[in-house]
């Protein structure tokens, strides 16, 4: 179906609706029945090829905006399209399914007007935008995160942020700011990619809010919390400058000082805990020291590999 739509889009004509409905039926029914794991069977292939078919169907049968009537939620149609159906597949264990679902969600969102507070015509409930944002953040914690997936997650999050701003959703903004701040400090596989995605989204959040909103809602410190830790890197430095331009130098310096105090407090508590551990449990302290040394070596290797990649070696 997807290849047919790509090769001969004009040949589909009146078949557009029944074909699209059949594809939706496959996705809706199988996601509900098989769930979102599918590593131990062939369900991932069914999901993956169905997602590709829908993607090509929408991409090649005219512009996606002319097909937006297919994307609008209508509870009276059977089967009706649910962007929420794709949320489970965005967290599928198979990388191909996860990428294809994320790409299709982004394709669907491109048909929805950005910054329109009324998203009900594309979702089955008002909470779905928040669910989308939470799913995107969940994707950033995955061990299979790569540049392509992170790029699509960034685009989907930016759409969600625009909806939060248009709907004046303070709860959504507050949750996302704190979540991005936490994720950008999270260590482990994919941390460089994850951190860059978080910083880009924090920067976009800053562009969507006036300095007064950032100050009155106490957003500044959590937004700066991880940025200050990596201030020697280009991207976080640029976002910090953006925040300063939004809130003014006086408020910015107050926030910067508050973050430094938080960091110092955490360091002091960690140092105190380690000192007590050396006294109470020397074996555990020695094991921790060895792990820390290994982590430093691994971090050094990652930095060298990243530098070589940037130089094109």
């Amino acid at each position: 179906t997807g290849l047919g739509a790509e090769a001969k889009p004009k040949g589909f004509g009146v078949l557009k609706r029944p074909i699209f409905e059949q594809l939706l039926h496959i996705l809706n029914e199988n996601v509900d029945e098989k769930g979102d794991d599918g590593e131990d069977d062939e369900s991932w292939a069914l999901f993956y090829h169905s997602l590709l078919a829908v993607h090509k169907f929408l991409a090649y049968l005219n512009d996606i905006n002319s097909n937006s009537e297919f994307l609008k939620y209508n509870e009276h149609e059977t089967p009706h399209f649910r962007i929420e159906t794709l949320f489970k597949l965005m967290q599928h264990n198979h990388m191909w399914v996860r990428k294809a679902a994320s790409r299709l969600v982004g394709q669907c969102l491109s048909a929805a007007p950005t910054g329109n507070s009324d998203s009900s015509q594309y979702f089955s409930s008002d909470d779905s935008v928040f669910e989308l944002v939470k799913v995107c953040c969940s994707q950033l914690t995955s061990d299979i995160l790569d540049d392509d997936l992170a790029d699509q997650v960034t685009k989907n999050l930016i759409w969600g942020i625009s909806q939060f701003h248009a709907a004046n959703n303070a709860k959504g903004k507050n949750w996302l700011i704190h979540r991005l701040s936490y994720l950008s400090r999270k260590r482990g596989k994919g941390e460089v990619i994850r951190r860059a995605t978080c910083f880009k989204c924090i920067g976009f959040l800053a562009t969507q809010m006036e300095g007064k909103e950032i100050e009155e809602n106490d957003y500044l410190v959590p937004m700066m919390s991880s940025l200050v830790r990596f201030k020697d890197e280009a991207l976080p430095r640029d976002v910090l400058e953006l925040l300063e331009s939004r809130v003014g130098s006086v408020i910015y310096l107050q926030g910067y000082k508050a973050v430094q105090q938080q960091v110092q407090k955490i360091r002091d508590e960690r140092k105190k805990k380690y000192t007590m551990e050396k006294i109470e449990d020397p074996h555990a302290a020695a094991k921790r020291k060895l792990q820390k040394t290994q982590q430093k070596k691994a971090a050094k290797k990652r930095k060298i590999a990243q530098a070589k990649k940037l130089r094109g070696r």
Side-chain angles (χ1 to χ4, degrees), residues 82-113:
R82 295 178 295 164
I83 293 182
E84 294 95 325
T85 299
L86 304 176
F87 290 178
K88 281 187 178 181
L89 298 179
M90 289 170 70
Q91 301 176 84
H92 197 280
N93 290 335
H94 201 289
M95 173 59 110
W96 292 4
V97 176
R98 189 175 295 210
K99 282 186 176 181
S102 300
R103 213 165 32 237
L104 183 55
V105 166
Q107 188 181 22
C108 294
L109 296 180
S110 70

Short mmCIF file of all heavy atoms in Angstrom, two decimals, residues 82-113:
data_model
loop_
_atom_site.label_atom_id
_atom_site.label_comp_id
_atom_site.label_asym_id
_atom_site.label_seq_id
_atom_site.Cartn_x
_atom_site.Cartn_y
_atom_site.Cartn_z
N ARG A 82 -6.69 7.57 16.17
CA ARG A 82 -6.28 8.02 17.49
C ARG A 82 -4.77 8.21 17.49
O ARG A 82 -4.04 7.22 17.36
CB ARG A 82 -6.67 7.00 18.56
CG ARG A 82 -8.16 6.79 18.75
CD ARG A 82 -8.40 5.72 19.80
NE ARG A 82 -7.91 4.42 19.34
CZ ARG A 82 -7.70 3.38 20.16
NH1 ARG A 82 -7.92 3.51 21.44
NH2 ARG A 82 -7.26 2.23 19.68
N ILE A 83 -4.32 9.43 17.58
CA ILE A 83 -2.87 9.64 17.70
C ILE A 83 -2.36 8.92 18.94
O ILE A 83 -1.23 8.43 18.97
CB ILE A 83 -2.54 11.15 17.75
CG1 ILE A 83 -2.88 11.81 16.41
CG2 ILE A 83 -1.07 11.37 18.07
CD1 ILE A 83 -2.55 13.27 16.33
N GLU A 84 -3.21 8.82 19.97
CA GLU A 84 -2.81 8.15 21.20
C GLU A 84 -2.44 6.68 20.97
O GLU A 84 -1.68 6.10 21.74
CB GLU A 84 -3.94 8.21 22.24
CG GLU A 84 -4.24 9.61 22.75
CD GLU A 84 -5.38 10.26 21.97
OE1 GLU A 84 -5.49 10.00 20.76
OE2 GLU A 84 -6.15 11.01 22.58
N THR A 85 -2.98 6.07 19.91
CA THR A 85 -2.63 4.68 19.58
C THR A 85 -1.13 4.55 19.39
O THR A 85 -0.53 3.52 19.72
CB THR A 85 -3.35 4.24 18.28
OG1 THR A 85 -4.75 4.33 18.48
CG2 THR A 85 -2.97 2.82 17.90
N LEU A 86 -0.51 5.59 18.86
CA LEU A 86 0.91 5.55 18.56
C LEU A 86 1.78 5.73 19.81
O LEU A 86 2.98 5.45 19.77
CB LEU A 86 1.26 6.64 17.54
CG LEU A 86 0.46 6.60 16.23
CD1 LEU A 86 0.84 7.78 15.36
CD2 LEU A 86 0.69 5.29 15.50
N PHE A 87 1.19 6.20 20.90
CA PHE A 87 1.99 6.47 22.10
C PHE A 87 2.65 5.20 22.62
O PHE A 87 3.81 5.21 23.05
CB PHE A 87 1.12 7.08 23.21
CG PHE A 87 0.67 8.50 22.92
CD1 PHE A 87 -0.15 9.17 23.81
CD2 PHE A 87 1.07 9.15 21.77
CE1 PHE A 87 -0.57 10.46 23.56
CE2 PHE A 87 0.66 10.45 21.50
CZ PHE A 87 -0.17 11.11 22.41
N LYS A 88 1.90 4.08 22.63
CA LYS A 88 2.49 2.81 23.08
C LYS A 88 3.63 2.39 22.17
O LYS A 88 4.68 1.91 22.63
CB LYS A 88 1.42 1.72 23.10
CG LYS A 88 0.49 1.74 24.29
CD LYS A 88 -0.40 0.51 24.28
CE LYS A 88 -1.31 0.49 25.51
NZ LYS A 88 -2.17 -0.73 25.51
N LEU A 89 3.44 2.57 20.87
CA LEU A 89 4.46 2.15 19.91
C LEU A 89 5.69 3.04 19.98
O LEU A 89 6.78 2.62 19.60
CB LEU A 89 3.88 2.14 18.49
CG LEU A 89 2.72 1.17 18.27
CD1 LEU A 89 2.23 1.26 16.83
CD2 LEU A 89 3.13 -0.26 18.59
N MET A 90 5.54 4.26 20.46
CA MET A 90 6.69 5.15 20.64
C MET A 90 7.62 4.64 21.74
O MET A 90 8.77 5.08 21.84
CB MET A 90 6.22 6.56 20.98
CG MET A 90 5.57 7.30 19.82
SD MET A 90 4.78 8.84 20.34
CE MET A 90 6.22 9.85 20.74
N GLN A 91 7.12 3.72 22.56
CA GLN A 91 7.93 3.14 23.63
C GLN A 91 8.18 1.65 23.41
O GLN A 91 8.56 0.93 24.32
CB GLN A 91 7.22 3.33 24.97
CG GLN A 91 6.96 4.80 25.30
CD GLN A 91 6.17 4.97 26.57
OE1 GLN A 91 6.72 4.96 27.67
NE2 GLN A 91 4.86 5.12 26.44
N HIS A 92 7.96 1.20 22.17
CA HIS A 92 8.16 -0.21 21.84
C HIS A 92 9.62 -0.60 22.02
O HIS A 92 10.52 0.22 21.85
CB HIS A 92 7.73 -0.44 20.38
CG HIS A 92 7.50 -1.87 20.04
ND1 HIS A 92 8.52 -2.74 19.76
CD2 HIS A 92 6.35 -2.60 19.95
CE1 HIS A 92 8.03 -3.93 19.48
NE2 HIS A 92 6.71 -3.88 19.60
N ASN A 93 9.86 -1.87 22.37
CA ASN A 93 11.22 -2.33 22.60
C ASN A 93 12.06 -2.39 21.32
O ASN A 93 13.29 -2.34 21.40
CB ASN A 93 11.20 -3.73 23.24
CG ASN A 93 10.71 -3.70 24.67
OD1 ASN A 93 10.80 -2.69 25.34
ND2 ASN A 93 10.16 -4.81 25.13
N HIS A 94 11.40 -2.50 20.19
CA HIS A 94 12.14 -2.58 18.93
C HIS A 94 12.40 -1.18 18.40
O HIS A 94 11.49 -0.38 18.23
CB HIS A 94 11.35 -3.39 17.89
CG HIS A 94 12.20 -3.93 16.79
ND1 HIS A 94 12.76 -3.12 15.83
CD2 HIS A 94 12.62 -5.20 16.51
CE1 HIS A 94 13.46 -3.86 14.99
NE2 HIS A 94 13.39 -5.13 15.38
N MET A 95 13.67 -0.89 18.12
CA MET A 95 14.07 0.46 17.70
C MET A 95 13.35 0.91 16.43
O MET A 95 12.95 2.06 16.31
CB MET A 95 15.59 0.51 17.49
CG MET A 95 16.09 1.81 16.89
SD MET A 95 15.68 3.24 17.91
CE MET A 95 17.27 3.69 18.53
N TRP A 96 13.17 0.01 15.47
CA TRP A 96 12.53 0.39 14.21
C TRP A 96 11.09 0.85 14.44
O TRP A 96 10.64 1.82 13.85
CB TRP A 96 12.54 -0.78 13.23
CG TRP A 96 13.89 -1.16 12.72
CD1 TRP A 96 15.09 -0.62 13.10
CD2 TRP A 96 14.19 -2.16 11.76
NE1 TRP A 96 16.11 -1.22 12.42
CE2 TRP A 96 15.59 -2.17 11.59
CE3 TRP A 96 13.41 -3.05 11.02
CZ2 TRP A 96 16.23 -3.04 10.71
CZ3 TRP A 96 14.04 -3.92 10.14
CH2 TRP A 96 15.44 -3.92 9.99
N VAL A 97 10.38 0.11 15.30
CA VAL A 97 8.99 0.48 15.60
C VAL A 97 8.95 1.82 16.32
O VAL A 97 8.14 2.69 16.02
CB VAL A 97 8.31 -0.61 16.46
CG1 VAL A 97 6.90 -0.18 16.85
CG2 VAL A 97 8.27 -1.93 15.71
N ARG A 98 9.85 1.99 17.27
CA ARG A 98 9.89 3.23 18.05
C ARG A 98 10.13 4.45 17.15
O ARG A 98 9.47 5.47 17.25
CB ARG A 98 10.99 3.13 19.11
CG ARG A 98 10.99 4.25 20.12
CD ARG A 98 12.03 4.02 21.19
NE ARG A 98 11.70 2.84 21.99
CZ ARG A 98 12.03 2.70 23.27
NH1 ARG A 98 12.70 3.65 23.88
NH2 ARG A 98 11.70 1.62 23.92
N LYS A 99 11.09 4.31 16.24
CA LYS A 99 11.40 5.42 15.33
C LYS A 99 10.24 5.69 14.37
O LYS A 99 9.88 6.85 14.12
CB LYS A 99 12.67 5.11 14.53
CG LYS A 99 13.95 5.30 15.30
CD LYS A 99 15.14 5.09 14.36
CE LYS A 99 16.45 5.37 15.07
NZ LYS A 99 17.62 5.20 14.20
N ALA A 100 9.67 4.63 13.81
CA ALA A 100 8.58 4.79 12.85
C ALA A 100 7.37 5.44 13.50
O ALA A 100 6.72 6.31 12.91
CB ALA A 100 8.20 3.44 12.26
N ALA A 101 7.04 5.03 14.74
CA ALA A 101 5.91 5.62 15.45
C ALA A 101 6.16 7.09 15.78
O ALA A 101 5.27 7.93 15.61
CB ALA A 101 5.63 4.84 16.73
N SER A 102 7.36 7.41 16.21
CA SER A 102 7.70 8.80 16.54
C SER A 102 7.64 9.68 15.31
O SER A 102 7.16 10.82 15.35
CB SER A 102 9.10 8.87 17.16
OG SER A 102 9.16 8.11 18.34
N ARG A 103 8.12 9.14 14.19
CA ARG A 103 8.09 9.88 12.92
C ARG A 103 6.66 10.13 12.48
O ARG A 103 6.31 11.22 12.02
CB ARG A 103 8.86 9.08 11.87
CG ARG A 103 9.59 9.91 10.85
CD ARG A 103 10.60 9.13 10.05
NE ARG A 103 10.26 7.74 9.84
CZ ARG A 103 11.04 6.72 10.21
NH1 ARG A 103 12.17 6.95 10.84
NH2 ARG A 103 10.68 5.48 9.97
N LEU A 104 5.81 9.12 12.63
CA LEU A 104 4.42 9.26 12.21
C LEU A 104 3.67 10.25 13.11
O LEU A 104 2.85 11.03 12.62
CB LEU A 104 3.72 7.90 12.22
CG LEU A 104 2.27 7.88 11.73
CD1 LEU A 104 2.15 8.48 10.34
CD2 LEU A 104 1.72 6.45 11.74
N VAL A 105 3.96 10.22 14.40
CA VAL A 105 3.36 11.20 15.31
C VAL A 105 3.75 12.61 14.87
O VAL A 105 2.91 13.51 14.79
CB VAL A 105 3.79 10.95 16.77
CG1 VAL A 105 3.45 12.15 17.64
CG2 VAL A 105 3.10 9.72 17.32
N GLY A 106 5.03 12.81 14.57
CA GLY A 106 5.47 14.12 14.10
C GLY A 106 4.79 14.52 12.81
O GLY A 106 4.43 15.69 12.62
N GLN A 107 4.59 13.56 11.92
CA GLN A 107 3.90 13.82 10.66
C GLN A 107 2.45 14.24 10.91
O GLN A 107 1.93 15.16 10.28
CB GLN A 107 3.95 12.56 9.79
CG GLN A 107 3.45 12.76 8.37
CD GLN A 107 3.51 11.47 7.58
OE1 GLN A 107 3.53 10.38 8.16
NE2 GLN A 107 3.56 11.57 6.27
N CYS A 108 1.81 13.55 11.85
CA CYS A 108 0.42 13.90 12.19
C CYS A 108 0.34 15.29 12.82
O CYS A 108 -0.56 16.08 12.52
CB CYS A 108 -0.17 12.87 13.14
SG CYS A 108 -0.38 11.22 12.43
N LEU A 109 1.28 15.58 13.71
CA LEU A 109 1.27 16.88 14.41
C LEU A 109 1.51 18.04 13.45
O LEU A 109 1.06 19.16 13.69
CB LEU A 109 2.32 16.90 15.52
CG LEU A 109 2.10 15.90 16.67
CD1 LEU A 109 3.22 16.04 17.70
CD2 LEU A 109 0.74 16.09 17.33
N SER A 110 2.23 17.75 12.34
CA SER A 110 2.47 18.82 11.38
C SER A 110 1.18 19.26 10.70
O SER A 110 1.11 20.36 10.12
CB SER A 110 3.49 18.36 10.32
OG SER A 110 2.93 17.37 9.48
N ALA A 111 0.14 18.41 10.74
CA ALA A 111 -1.15 18.78 10.17
C ALA A 111 -1.99 19.57 11.16
O ALA A 111 -2.95 20.23 10.78
CB ALA A 111 -1.93 17.53 9.75
N ALA A 112 -1.62 19.48 12.45
CA ALA A 112 -2.34 20.22 13.49
C ALA A 112 -1.71 21.60 13.63
O ALA A 112 -0.48 21.71 13.68
CB ALA A 112 -2.28 19.48 14.81
N PRO A 113 -2.49 22.66 13.68
CA PRO A 113 -1.93 24.01 13.80
C PRO A 113 -1.16 24.19 15.10
O PRO A 113 -1.66 23.90 16.18
CB PRO A 113 -3.17 24.91 13.77
CG PRO A 113 -4.31 24.04 14.19
CD PRO A 113 -3.97 22.67 13.69
#
